Amino acid sequence: MSTEPEFVFELRVCQWAERCWPPGGDRDPDTAVLVARQLGTKYRRWDTIVVEADRTALRERAAFGAEGLHSDLLGVVRHAPADWAWYRDALPDPGYPWQYVREAVHDAADRDLIEKRRAGSGRIELRRHQPYPEWIERIVAIENKPDLDRSAARTLAPQLERDVALGLADEVWVATAREGGTVEPALLEDVPVEAGILTVDPTANAQAGETAVDVAWNPRTLAPEEPGTRITERPTGSGRDASAARFEYADPEWKVGKRREIAERAYGRGWRAYADTMRPDCRHFRLRTETGDALPWCDEKACHQTASECAGSCPEFSPEPPTWRQRDWPIEGGPGKAIKRLLDEQRRRRRPGL
């Protein structure tokens, strides 16, 4: 069983996916990969998201900035016309008050995503700078469970069954720590056959060319372009529970829109944003790279810390001394600021055109 926190295991999987996706195969040179963590819908959040993107279209996406576009902004930039038009004529009916659309138009113009003007009649008109590209090819969801035994597999199975039934992602995987080079039988027995299984060796050295991840079970490709089923309630399975499962249909149009929103959030956030909720400005914080992965490490506790414990409330927290902070004014900071800049630069390099 894995001895490191699930948070650190998750970062290992993200870094491996960024380097080596797809598992067991060669990446198409025309395909780029974006990796993010802790994304999904209000019904489901996945540990790791892998977005396969058309490299040319992804470069065109960079014209809309490094930040992700939320649903209201997507509605504006995707439908903004080539020539000036009143926003209510140019944009589709949102199904909610137009005043919120008008606010999104102002927001998009402030971010220079579109052009905006007020016509002689007082109406707000807009036009696009360039078309928004359809850059998403596939979305893959990975659930990270380093200590997946029979009990944990049975608990996880209903979540994976819901993922398969909904079909929002093209593939669903489970990543677990490799134990003695074998696959825990509970994985194959309790995990839905549609879900793939990855076994991860946390001790593998990527720099030395060692294989960190193996495929124990290949997933089935789901159908995100077809209607899905959202399971809202299911029977407990006990002998006295004979109730039927309750579900609702998810139409393909909703799925396409939700996939675009998830991919946009992945584009803006990536997986390195964990440093924004930790304390790299602590004198004990550093990035450890001995195995080829850049993972947060606490020198005081001599371990990979979690995001929840690495905070100002940590009793071992010790701010960087002022002498560590140098260079220009205003203060650019010491090693903690440098770590954040490094992670941000690495994230931007994965987005062609920025």
Side-chain angles (χ1 to χ4, degrees):
M1 307 297 276
S2 175
T3 58
E4 65 183 14
E6 184 172 325
F7 165 71
V8 177
F9 181 85
E10 187 174 293
L11 296 185
R12 287 190 188 277
V13 172
C14 288
Q15 293 182 80
W16 166 82
E18 197 172 69
R19 291 192 306 262
C20 304
W21 192 266
D26 295 327
R27 186 185 305 175
D28 188 323
D30 295 329
T31 299
V33 166
L34 296 179
V35 180
R37 52 181 294 272
Q38 297 298 321
L39 291 180
T41 70
K42 69 177 181 179
Y43 304 102
R44 180 75 163 100
R45 183 175 63 181
W46 291 301
D47 293 334
T48 300
I49 293 286
V50 180
V51 182
E52 298 179 12
D54 177 87
R55 190 174 296 276
T56 301
L58 185 61
R59 183 174 292 276
E60 295 173 357
R61 162 61 185 82
F64 294 89
E67 296 182 49
L69 306 179
H70 56 72
S71 58
D72 290 345
L73 284 179
L74 279 170
V76 173
V77 300
R78 290 187 61 246
H79 298 99
D83 297 317
W84 290 107
W86 183 36
Y87 76 97
R88 293 186 62 165
D89 285 341
L91 306 179
D93 189 335
Y96 50 81
W98 280 99
Q99 68 186 64
Y100 299 109
V101 179
R102 186 169 63 249
E103 292 175 5
V105 170
H106 292 315
D107 189 12
D110 291 341
R111 290 176 53 175
D112 199 30
L113 304 176
I114 61 166
E115 293 182 82
K116 179 194 71 174
R117 73 178 184 185
R118 190 174 294 274
S121 60
R123 289 182 169 184
I124 297 173
E125 298 182 338
L126 76 161
R127 70 177 179 184
R128 68 189 183 210
H129 290 303
Q130 64 184 68
Y132 177 86
E134 296 299 334
W135 54 276
I136 308 157
E137 292 184 338
R138 301 173 77 243
I139 294 180
V140 178
I142 304 176
E143 191 72 15
N144 299 308
K145 293 295 178 185
D147 299 327
L148 189 60
D149 55 13
R150 180 179 294 273
S151 175
R154 287 178 176 172
T155 302
L156 179 62
Q159 299 179 26
L160 297 175
E161 290 170 359
R162 286 181 168 87
D163 294 339
V164 171
L166 182 58
L168 188 60
D170 293 87
E171 291 177 358
V172 176
W173 293 79
V174 179
T176 186
R178 190 180 307 159
E179 184 180 1
T182 61
V183 178
E184 173 65 35
L187 291 175
L188 299 179
E189 293 175 5
D190 295 318
V191 172
V193 296
E194 295 88 351
I197 300 175
L198 299 169
T199 58
V200 182
D201 182 2
T203 64
N205 191 327
Q207 291 179 329
E210 296 177 2
T211 301
V213 178
D214 288 322
V215 177
W217 185 267
N218 284 301
R220 293 183 184 176
T221 300
L222 306 179
E225 71 283 353
E226 297 179 2
T229 302
R230 186 184 296 110
I231 301 174
T232 58
E233 185 179 344
R234 62 189 310 150
T236 62
S238 64
R240 297 183 179 181
D241 187 357
S243 59
R246 295 184 179 181
F247 63 90
E248 57 189 21
Y249 288 110
D251 62 80
E253 184 177 353
W254 177 87
K255 291 169 66 174
V256 168
K258 190 57 63 176
R259 282 163 60 89
R260 189 180 290 115
E261 291 176 29
I262 292 172
E264 276 292 333
R265 290 165 63 195
Y267 184 93
R269 182 189 301 181
W271 62 266
R272 295 175 175 85
Y274 67 84
D276 295 336
T277 57
M278 300 179 76
R279 295 305 302 262
D281 58 331
C282 174
R283 69 165 70 214
H284 305 305
F285 186 102
R286 68 184 179 92
L287 292 180
R288 199 172 181 183
T289 59
E290 283 80 353
T291 61
D293 295 325
L295 300 173
W297 176 267
C298 178
D299 280 332
E300 177 65 23
K301 299 179 180 179
C303 68
H304 292 296
Q305 70 275 46
T306 65
S308 59
E309 67 179 332
C310 183
S313 58
C314 173
E316 309 301 333
F317 173 72
S318 178
E320 296 171 347
T323 55
W324 287 13
R325 301 170 186 172
Q326 47 194 311
R327 288 198 255 176
D328 301 329
W329 183 267
I331 296 172
E332 292 190 13
K337 290 288 188 180
I339 287 174
K340 285 193 173 185
R341 288 195 298 269
L342 171 65
L343 294 175
D344 186 57
E345 290 168 2
Q346 290 177 341
R347 177 171 50 192
R348 292 178 67 89
R349 283 203 296 269
R350 293 289 173 174
R351 287 138 182 79
L354 287 179

